[in-house]
Amino acid sequence: MDKKITIVLADDHKLLTSGMKMLIDTWDEFELAGIADDGKSIVELCDLTEPDIVLMDMKMPVLDGAEAARIIKERHENTKVIAMTAFDDSETVRDAMKKGCDGFLMKVIEPEQLRTAIHSILNGVSVVDEQALEHMKNQIQKQEECAFTEREIKILSYISRGMTNREIAEKLSLQPGTIKNIVSILLSKTFCVSRSDLARYAVENALVRAEE
């Protein structure tokens, strides 16, 4: 029998976690490894179980969801964190992505859509709710053009060429972790959710040439 995909839930609304537990129990490929009701507890639960997936509310007591996500991603690089919220404001989405969340979904998502999104995220695809993404795009149009440093422009050009963080670090004589942090800043600045989005943004806004 194939190893099941382990999931942990983090939400302080017991009715919601109870419903999610019942749903996950109906999916043969998944196994619920635990439930936490605050940000600190979900970090501790992840340390114990090292799950494949964390489904986490962004509005959590003790430690907010975005900060809990940052800690989890630092400690468990193979764990995918999916932010779930009832709010579709751009700041919540930006914070979730900036702290390393692999997806952002609204709590009103249909069960099969959630199931599909989880599999996509496990395969390395960032998934953001369409309504939230559209809201972010509208916010972008209202904001002034982002200012980028010379180093950020250079990194954007390397990303556009498909280079990895390690390859970029070697080019610039920096540590891969430094490049990773700068890429996170670029994602936050541009409201992009993936490296491919960053590359497209850089070309469309004439920050780099398409042939770069």
Side-chain angles (χ1 to χ4, degrees):
M1 182 178 177
D2 293 337
K3 181 179 179 295
K4 290 195 174 186
I5 298 163
T6 54
I7 297 179
V8 294
L9 302 176
D11 199 299
D12 60 332
H13 292 90
K14 294 189 182 300
L15 185 61
L16 188 142
T17 52
S18 176
M20 287 292 294
K21 179 183 183 305
M22 292 176 61
L23 177 63
I24 292 169
D25 286 343
T26 67
W27 292 338
D28 293 337
E29 71 271 37
F30 297 114
E31 178 180 25
L32 185 62
I35 299 174
D37 58 8
D38 65 67
K40 183 174 181 291
S41 295
I42 191 60
V43 170
E44 294 171 347
L45 181 58
C46 287
D47 287 342
L48 287 173
T49 62
E50 296 189 356
D52 298 306
I53 290 285
V54 178
L55 290 174
M56 179 161 58
D57 184 19
M58 285 292 95
K59 306 295 182 181
M60 297 279 284
V62 184
L63 184 68
D64 72 77
E67 184 61 16
R70 182 191 67 77
I71 296 171
I72 291 168
K73 294 297 290 185
E74 282 185 354
R75 296 182 182 178
H76 311 283
E77 61 180 15
N78 293 324
T79 294
K80 304 293 186 182
V81 179
I82 303 176
M84 301 196 71
T85 184
F87 304 94
D88 65 350
D89 63 280
S90 59
E91 286 303 316
T92 300
V93 182
R94 285 185 68 192
D95 204 21
M97 296 299 107
K98 184 176 180 181
K99 295 298 174 64
C101 288
D102 301 281
F104 182 94
L105 302 173
M106 303 298 290
K107 289 183 179 179
V108 294
I109 190 171
E110 293 294 327
E112 281 308 309
Q113 289 179 323
L114 173 61
R115 190 178 192 176
T116 299
I118 291 173
H119 280 290
S120 295
I121 289 167
L122 284 170
N123 289 323
V125 179
S126 293
V127 178
V128 180
D129 179 84
E130 289 184 6
Q131 285 184 323
L133 187 58
E134 187 62 31
H135 187 75
M136 282 198 298
K137 289 178 179 178
N138 291 336
Q139 289 293 97
I140 292 172
Q141 293 174 358
K142 297 176 184 178
Q143 293 183 351
E144 295 181 354
E145 185 176 356
C146 292
F148 298 93
T149 66
E150 183 177 344
R151 176 183 287 178
E152 287 172 340
I153 295 293
K154 180 63 69 175
I155 290 173
L156 282 171
S157 73
Y158 288 141
I159 289 173
S160 299
R161 299 179 202 176
M163 295 174 65
T164 65
N165 287 349
R166 186 168 295 279
E167 290 170 337
I168 295 172
E170 290 176 357
K171 282 279 189 180
L172 300 178
S173 299
L174 296 171
Q175 293 297 317
T178 300
I179 301 301
K180 181 180 179 181
N181 290 338
I182 295 173
V183 171
S184 294
I185 291 171
L186 288 170
L187 289 169
S188 177
K189 275 188 175 183
T190 61
F191 291 86
C192 290
V193 296
S194 69
R195 295 173 76 91
S196 59
D197 282 346
L198 270 179
R200 184 166 54 251
Y201 178 95
V203 172
E204 289 176 352
N205 289 276
L207 296 171
V208 300
R209 295 191 301 274
E211 61 269 23
E212 289 186 345

